[in-house]
Every structure is written in structure tokens, then in C-alpha cells.
Amino acid sequence: MSAPTLDRPAAERPDEAALQRQFDATIAADRRIEPRDWMPEGYRRTLVRQIAQHAHSEIIGMQPEGDWLLAAPSMRRKAILLAKVQDEAGHGLYLYSAAETLGADRADLTDKLIERRQKYSSIFNYPTPTYADVGVIGWLVDGAAICNQVPLCRSSYGPYARAMIRVCKEESFHQRQGYELLMTMMRGTDAQRAMVQDAVDRWWWPSLMMFGPPDDDSPNSAQSMAWGIKRHSNDELRQRFVDMTVPQAAVLGVTLPDQELAPDPETGRYRFGAIDWSEFKQVLAGHGPCNDERIARRRAARDDNAWVTEAATAYARKHES
Ligand code: FAQ
């Protein structure tokens, strides 16, 4: 979009209709909207909602795998897992920074998460009882995240799109480490293979739910796609994920828990069974297996570490004066 408008004297500012036309032209030309550009309030609100939800997902998403940091089976696995969980913290930080360019306040967003006024991905409300869960999260959850996020590198909002580039590179690495871990377990004992299959059985359907409700029940999709925030519909991305993952499952030697999963000769894509959307709704309503635990921990992290923020703020003030 052209030069910033808000810092010009009022008399020189284009009227709202002209600004809207300029915004529409930028979107139509597939160019980026930048923080100092004028944007409709609905566009700003939608971005803050999605980016905050995404940031919260990265931060809450550290918990399920983080549970295994002290119990990883070797020093090598512990180092790998620690690096992955740290990457997720970094992704959260890029995303909160992108939200801040829209005028949001990070502490306020965290409060909204803890007060359950903002969402985070449904997938992080499931438990991780075995080490195979760490591998399956890498393979399926990071795999789904990549399918969803690669198109976001072309999102119309500049800071979000740019943040996604690095995030996607790291998620791609995470996906491979998960697959490598599972491959190693599948070459191990019968008990290890059973552990991998059990984890796949538990994570498959929740992974499909990560993409959001079906298109005909997705209130935000049409507008978000018209604004170029989202580039593909929820169902299209879910289908891409299935098409990408089924051959990987065959190489791994696991069975995906869906008897209706089969290639469709007409489309060349995989047909799959019905998703249990009542489970998704229950998880979003706060009644998943781990919702309370995830929020309680996030709240404790905020409260227990408040003194660090206060000390850093006091130190920064001291050096300003
Ligand atoms: N969970 O109208 P739509 C990761 C909500 S990062 C919870 O279709 P939209 C990395 C939605 O917010 C994973 N809520 O909404 C990692 C809306 O509610 P609202 C996170 C969901 O925004 C890996 C309502 O349902 N990724 O995994 C979910 O157009 C491993 C209606 O839905 C992102 O956030 C859900 N699954 O499309 C970390 C990517 N789905 O806000 C650790 C960016 C929908 O109106 C370990 N986000 N809802 O109250 C997006 O692409 C979109 O926001 C969608 C939803 C596609 C998630």
C-alpha cells in the first residue's frame, strides 16, 4: 500500500471511502498491508483474533511435549526435544510481536487466554502418556501445522506473512524429527511398535480437527479469504494433509484409524470418514481431556514469573532516565 496516512495533517488525509478503495486495491493486486497502512477495523480485529490464537497455540503447545523433557529416553532425545520446545516459544514470540504491530498488547492477550476469552488450538488439549506421542506430535501435529501455515506465508498482512516464513522452516524440521523418532521406534520391539500405533490412533482424528470446522460451518472463512488473510478453506487444507500423510503412514508401517480411508479414483485424492465434530465442540467449550490443566499451568507461569517482568521493567526504566 502507499505512504502512511495517519501522520499527515488532517486536511491532507484522504477520506475513509478513499482509504477503503486504496485498501481494496492493495488486496486485489495481491500486495501486502503493512502496520502503518490504513485498514478496516474488521480486518484488524480478524488478524488480532487469528494471530493471537496462533501465538497462544504455540505457547500452550509447549506443554504436551514439555512433559517429556525430564523423561526423554536418552541425552540425544532430550536435546532434540528441548530445542523443539524452545522453537515453539520463539514462534509464540514472533506471533505476539506481529499482533503488537496491530495495536494489541501482549500481556492483555495472555490475560484473555487465561480468562478463556481467546482460544488456542484444540489439539493441545490431548494428553501425552507415552514417548511415542512426542513423535506423533512432530509427524501429525507439525505436519498439519505446515499444511495450514505455508499458505499463510502469502497472507495479506506483511508482519504475519513474514513471521510465518521462519516458523514454517522450523515446523518442517520438527515434522521430520517426529517422523525419524517414529521410524526408529518402528524398527524397535513389538512393544515400541504397539506404542506408536496407539499414539497414531489417539492423535489422527484430533489432527484433522486442527484445520477448523467444515467450510459450511466456518463463520470466518469467507471474509478472511476475501481479505487474503487465509488463502485456502479449512476443508481444502484438511484434504491436502490427508493426501500427504496417508503415503507416509504406509512407509512408517502404521494403520490410520479410519476404515473409510481410500483413494478416490475420480479425484486422485483420499476419501476419509466423518469427523466427530461434537468432540471438537466439546474441546473448544473447555471440556477436552486437558483444557483445565493447560490453562492452570499457563496461569501459574504468568503469576509465578511476574517478578521477572517487574524487575526487567524497573531495570529498563532505570536505564532510560
Ligand atoms: N482449535 O471460522 P473458523 C501449531 C475456532 S500451531 C481451536 O473456521 P478461522 C504449532 C476459530 O478460532 C496450531 N479453535 O475460524 C505447534 C473460530 O473461533 P473464534 C495453531 C478453532 O479463524 C506444533 C471458530 O472456531 N495454528 O500447531 C480451531 O477462519 C506442535 C470458527 O472457525 C493456527 O492458529 C481449532 N483447531 O479458521 C506447536 C494457524 N479451528 O475465533 C506445538 C492460524 C477453528 O471466531 C507443537 N490459524 N477454531 O472465536 C488459522 O489458520 C485459522 O484461524 C484456523 C481457523 C484455520 C485455525
Side-chain angles (χ1 to χ4, degrees), residues 49-50 53-54 57-58 61 65 84 88 119-122 124 137 141-142 145 148-149 152 160 171 209-213 218-221 230 234 280 284:
R49 179 185 64 76
Q50 178 166 324
Q53 183 190 302
H54 196 165
S57 304
E58 297 283 357
E65 293 163 288
K84 180 179 193 284
E88 283 149 10
K119 297 185 171 78
Y120 59 92
S121 182
S122 49
F124 300 117
I137 289 178
V141 177
D142 283 278
N148 169 262
Q149 287 168 201
L152 293 175
Y160 189 32
E171 304 284 32
M209 294 174 199
M210 274 180 79
F211 294 90
S218 164
N220 302 296
S221 277
K230 282 167 80 161
N234 298 354
F280 176 73
L284 256 61

Side-chain angles (χ1 to χ4, degrees), residues 8 20 60 64 84 86 111 130 141 143 153 170 177 182 198 205 217 219 221 259 264 268 276 281 304:
R8 292 189 208 161
Q20 177 74 53
I60 295 279
K84 180 179 193 284
Q86 279 178 336
D111 291 345
T130 74
V141 177
C153 297
E170 291 178 354
Q177 73 76 35
L182 296 178
D198 170 63
W205 291 105
D217 194 22
S221 277
Q259 294 195 337
D264 182 336
D276 178 2
K281 285 182 183 149
D304 296 349

Side-chain angles (χ1 to χ4, degrees), residues 116-178:
R116 304 188 193 224
R117 287 187 288 135
Q118 281 181 345
K119 297 185 171 78
Y120 59 92
S121 182
S122 49
I123 193 76
F124 300 117
N125 291 303
Y126 292 86
T128 44
T130 74
Y131 204 70
D133 292 299
V134 170
V136 170
I137 289 178
W139 176 40
L140 296 181
V141 177
D142 283 278
I146 295 164
C147 272
N148 169 262
Q149 287 168 201
V150 165
L152 293 175
C153 297
R154 293 185 296 109
S155 175
S156 59
Y157 187 58
Y160 189 32
R162 288 190 287 275
M164 278 303 106
I165 294 171
R166 178 159 174 181
V167 169
C168 285
K169 285 187 179 156
E170 291 178 354
E171 304 284 32
S172 171
F173 197 64
H174 295 170
Q175 199 254 1
R176 283 157 204 224
Q177 73 76 35

Side-chain angles (χ1 to χ4, degrees), residues 49-86:
R49 179 185 64 76
Q50 178 166 324
I51 297 173
Q53 183 190 302
H54 196 165
H56 298 328
S57 304
E58 297 283 357
I59 298 298
I60 295 279
M62 295 164 72
Q63 291 188 32
E65 293 163 288
D67 279 342
W68 281 97
L69 281 172
L70 295 180
S74 68
M75 201 56 199
R76 177 171 173 266
R77 291 292 171 197
K78 193 190 286 263
I80 293 170
L81 187 56
L82 192 58
K84 180 179 193 284
V85 173
Q86 279 178 336

